[in-house]
Amino acid sequence: QSQELSQARIDYHAALLALQEHGTRMVCTGKMHTDRICRFDYLCYCTEAEEFVFFHSNSSFMLPNLGPRRFQPALLDLSSVEDHNTQYFNFLELPAAALKFMPKPVFVPDVTLILNRFNPDNLMHVFHDDLLPIFYTMRQYSDLDDEARLVFMEGWGEGAHFDLYRLLSSKQPLLKEQLRNFGKLMCFTKSYVGLSKMTTWYQYGFVQPQGPKANILVSGNEIRQFASSLMEKLNITTRGGEESVAEEKDEYFVVFSRSINRLILNEAELILALVQEFQMRAVTVSLEEQNFPRIVKVISGASILVSMHGAQLVSSLFLPRGAIVVELFPYAVNPEQYTPYKTLASLPGMDLQYVAWRNMVEENSVAYPERPWEQGGIAHLDKEEQDHILTSKEVPRHLCCRNPEWLYRIYQDTIVDIPSLLEALRAIVKTRPNLKKAKPASTVHPGRVREPQCQTSVQATNEAKLTVSWQIPWNLKYLKVREVKYEVWIQEQGENTYMPYILPHQNYTFSENIKPFTTYLVWVRCIFNKNLLGPFADVLMCRT
Ligand code: UDP
């Protein structure tokens, strides 16, 4: 590794002079520590103290310059998990003059992205917290290209899925523990610190029970672009185009099984029943038996993915459009309260169908009270608490991460009741649009309608007319749109309610509910295909 960071690649003397003269320079985005990413010249890291160091000189700068607010609670989140107090980033400060008394710095010539992985042994966390945020943070800053260096500061070893992190750039990612190999003081010539949270869709329940994030900013398009990029790097080609006719004859479903815990106890029976029901081939995969590229390849051609609730289900982001995700929940676990995979499948433009099935029969469940607590054991609890858990019929809402009732229930094995599962599936398969052929739906929104106008006339003392007309949005003439409609809102001035109308043409004369000698405020907007809303044109003031 030391060779990889070969000091020959940069002019060491020049770099040292620049550091001594200019010190560290920092400019960040974001108003809060939770939405901040910072770019540094010459950010250093002292491996003995395990601290980042900002060197002040006459020409260094630090934006935002927060003073002590930098510690309230931190400059930024180093992982994509919002405001987690084990994931904060900050640095110590020193005058650049102190360099004279410090070990000779080793310079990292690569443009570096410094971050914390949140839980690199869990596949859901790997994709949701790390891979997607890293991928899109790299697209936010153009110098974080294929040559960029990733540095993981959370302090874990490589973890079970390190090969996936390797796909994100051509350089080997560095772990915190490896930094000491480079020397006592490392200085990153150019670096970015922190991760974009723009792509995350789930909060794990640290401050309120887990659930979808309040303001999801990612769509299926970005998830699928990421998935394609990863598949390209794994040399996986999706079947499509002319082959898709053959493909349809060879539909298959995938059972993603867990072989260590949370088992499906009648997996063979389940597979037979699904083969019969859907007249499809079955393929089983598990993280224990196939390598991940193989699993991605299989999933990317599947029509249905069936799995127990668990991190392996994040692999549904590789499913083709139109596929069905079937998530199985053990006894006493309410699917509505644990929705990371439902939320993923339901992102607009993911174009996946989702169905949850829950074991409602306690006898079909095998629990493991004697196991260690983190695998759902409850033997360490007092008798009363154990009894309470054993008789409870549903785990109440709870916070992450050590709720013993939750762990006890979620680590149960399950005999899947086949008739009830088939029933749930039939309902979905019936309504299933043949999306495998369909192209992704358009997401082009209308522009404003142009030249909105109103004309009024008074018919009688209690009768008036209001004619509103407008021109089509500018972008419409370049588009093929299945259905173009217009929405008009009419509000009598001073009232706080309005009447909405959906109209097919570019003008309309209103006479019902229109009073003489009254001022109306009128808003008009265009709608493509029922749900793509355009902006309202400037409000019209129309006096009858
Ligand atoms: N895992 C697996 N097979 C098993 C048990 C776990 O592949 O039998 C994987 C799982 O998909 C996840 C990791 O091991 O990536 C940790 O599993 P855990 O049960 O802790 O987390 P969960 O799946 O509930 O998120």
Side-chain angles (χ1 to χ4, degrees):
Q1 271 135 6
S2 345
Q3 268 171 344
E4 253 197 290
L5 294 187
S6 162
Q7 300 299 294
R9 280 181 50 204
I10 49 169
D11 180 342
Y12 183 84
H13 194 67
L16 188 58
L17 269 179
L19 171 60
Q20 283 165 339
E21 263 177 48
H22 304 305
T24 308
R25 296 173 159 185
M26 174 188 97
V27 185
C28 309
T29 62
K31 279 192 187 153
M32 312 258 293
H33 71 281
T34 51
D35 63 2
R36 190 165 290 142
I37 295 177
C38 294
R39 185 189 189 288
F40 290 89
D41 293 323
Y42 295 110
L43 174 67
C44 297
Y45 181 75
C46 175
T47 55
E48 278 183 330
E50 301 194 357
E51 298 273 11
F52 284 95
V53 184
F54 184 106
F55 285 104
H56 286 274
S57 80
N58 288 335
S59 54
S60 56
F61 45 78
M62 190 193 285
L63 267 183
N65 203 324
L66 294 165
R69 285 171 292 158
R70 184 157 70 76
F71 311 112
Q72 293 169 358
L75 181 61
L76 54 83
D77 292 338
L78 207 38
S79 84
S80 72
V81 174
E82 181 119 337
D83 197 31
H84 196 292
N85 61 9
T86 65
Q87 309 289 325
Y88 290 150
F89 170 84
N90 239 316
F91 47 74
L92 297 185
E93 293 160 275
L94 280 176
L99 279 163
K100 284 200 286 288
F101 310 104
M102 297 182 72
K104 280 265 157 295
V106 174
F107 290 97
V108 180
D110 317 304
V111 181
T112 304
L113 176 59
I114 298 168
L115 64 116
N116 277 4
R117 296 176 299 167
F118 190 71
N119 181 353
D121 281 338
N122 179 301
L123 201 61
M124 166 66 183
H125 287 285
V126 168
F127 274 91
H128 177 270
D129 309 345
D130 308 340
L131 297 176
L132 272 158
I134 293 170
F135 182 85
Y136 280 107
T137 303
M138 291 176 73
R139 266 129 203 95
Q140 185 167 355
Y141 300 104
S142 59
D143 49 351
L144 286 174
D145 55 16
D146 189 56
E147 313 269 278
R149 178 80 64 178
L150 301 175
V151 176
F152 302 147
M153 292 305 298
E154 77 289 335
W156 292 43
E158 290 192 349
H161 306 284
F162 202 62
D163 283 344
L164 293 174
Y165 295 91
R166 280 203 185 91
L167 299 175
L168 296 171
S169 101
S170 61
K171 301 238 164 84
Q172 168 83 355
L174 295 177
L175 302 172
K176 181 179 175 187
E177 62 181 4
Q178 295 169 329
L179 297 183
R180 359 185 124 254
N181 304 339
F182 296 108
K184 290 184 174 157
L185 186 62
M186 295 181 76
C187 293
F188 299 94
T189 312
K190 286 196 165 111
S191 62
Y192 292 83
V193 181
L195 281 179
S196 166
K197 298 182 172 79
M198 215 77 90
T199 59
T200 56
W201 63 85
Y202 207 70
Q203 63 85 9
Y204 298 117
F206 295 109
V207 290
Q208 49 169 313
Q210 63 171 275
K213 282 206 333 187
N215 186 12
I216 294 178
L217 302 173
V218 68
S219 86
N221 177 56
E222 291 69 40
I223 305 283
R224 290 193 175 281
Q225 297 285 353
F226 159 83
S228 315
S229 164
L230 231 52
M231 285 168 61
E232 207 171 292
K233 291 186 179 140
L234 292 169
N235 270 324
I236 299 169
T237 48
T238 44
R239 298 177 296 177
E242 284 153 52
E243 280 172 83
S244 57
V245 182
E247 176 193 351
E248 255 163 62
K249 289 199 191 113
D250 186 33
E251 281 198 279
Y252 59 90
F253 65 88
V254 173
V255 175
F256 202 145
S257 55
R258 296 173 59 111
S259 25
I260 302 164
N261 53 43
R262 208 177 300 152
L263 309 179
I264 301 170
L265 292 171
N266 57 339
E267 207 169 275
E269 191 196 352
L270 169 71
I271 289 169
L272 273 176
L274 293 173
V275 168
Q276 280 215 334
E277 173 76 18
F278 298 111
Q279 300 291 311
M280 283 183 202
R281 267 189 315 130
V283 182
T284 42
V285 294
S286 74
L287 289 173
E288 290 82 18
E289 269 149 73
Q290 280 82 19
N291 62 30
F292 198 69
R294 172 71 200 154
I295 293 174
V296 171
K297 167 114 185 129
V298 168
I299 288 182
S300 68
S303 299
I304 307 177
L305 173 63
V306 183
S307 181
M308 288 305 289
H309 171 80
Q312 69 286 344
L313 261 171
V314 77
S315 62
S316 55
L317 65 83
F318 295 104
L319 281 168
R321 290 176 197 281
I324 303 173
V325 179
V326 185
E327 182 171 13
L328 311 174
F329 288 84
Y331 178 77
V333 177
N334 184 346
E336 311 262 295
Q337 291 169 22
Y338 310 95
T339 56
Y341 315 110
K342 179 187 183 179
T343 307
L344 169 62
S346 313
L347 290 177
M350 265 320 276
D351 298 336
L352 296 173
Q353 303 241 41
Y354 174 90
V355 58
W357 174 90
R358 171 185 184 179
N359 176 19
M360 301 301 283
V361 183
E362 189 162 16
E363 294 74 55
N364 285 349
S365 203
V366 178
Y368 296 93
E370 306 299 332
R371 282 186 179 167
W373 69 267
E374 70 275 13
Q375 294 164 45
I378 52 170
H380 63 290
L381 303 175
D382 35 339
K383 182 80 175 68
E384 208 178 313
E385 216 172 324
Q386 290 187 29
D387 285 345
H388 169 77
I389 291 174
L390 292 171
T391 52
S392 158
K393 303 220 173 306
E394 182 172 316
V395 181
R397 283 191 185 272
H398 57 89
L399 295 181
C400 189
C401 310
R402 298 186 166 202
N403 182 293
E405 182 172 353
W406 153 249
L407 292 170
Y408 173 76
R409 290 304 187 182
I410 198 59
Y411 281 108
Q412 293 171 115
D413 298 339
T414 303
I415 301 168
V416 175
D417 176 62
I418 310 267
S420 72
L421 176 64
L422 289 182
E423 195 184 330
L425 262 169
R426 281 182 194 130
I428 282 279
V429 174
K430 237 187 263 159
T431 64
R432 180 182 167 208
N434 196 346
L435 280 163
K436 273 206 140 178
K437 275 192 219 146
K439 294 193 194 84
S442 168
T443 53
V444 177
H445 294 84
R448 300 162 154 239
V449 302
R450 290 185 305 160
E451 298 170 45
Q453 291 173 6
C454 52
Q455 280 173 340
T456 58
S457 59
V458 175
Q459 256 66 34
T461 47
N462 57 356
E463 213 185 311
K465 284 188 177 166
L466 168 60
T467 300
V468 186
S469 64
W470 56 88
Q471 300 297 315
I472 62 168
W474 173 79
N475 60 348
L476 179 54
K477 61 177 181 281
Y478 299 102
L479 298 170
K480 275 196 188 130
V481 182
R482 193 161 25 84
E483 184 198 271
V484 180
K485 292 246 162 104
Y486 297 92
E487 184 168 12
V488 175
W489 290 4
I490 300 182
Q491 176 183 38
E492 188 180 326
Q493 192 170 41
E495 299 291 317
N496 45 27
T497 61
Y498 62 88
M499 292 292 297
Y501 301 87
I502 300 281
L503 303 168
H505 303 302
Q506 282 155 249
N507 58 68
Y508 192 79
T509 300
F510 300 87
S511 50
E512 272 176 47
N513 302 320
I514 303 294
K515 295 184 276 189
F517 314 115
T518 309
T519 300
Y520 292 95
L521 305 183
V522 178
W523 287 266
V524 187
R525 70 175 163 189
C526 182
I527 303 176
F528 291 166
N529 302 334
K530 301 226 184 327
N531 56 15
L532 292 165
L533 307 179
F536 282 108
D538 287 341
V539 62
L540 296 172
M541 299 276 266
C542 313
R543 171 111 190 130
T544 53

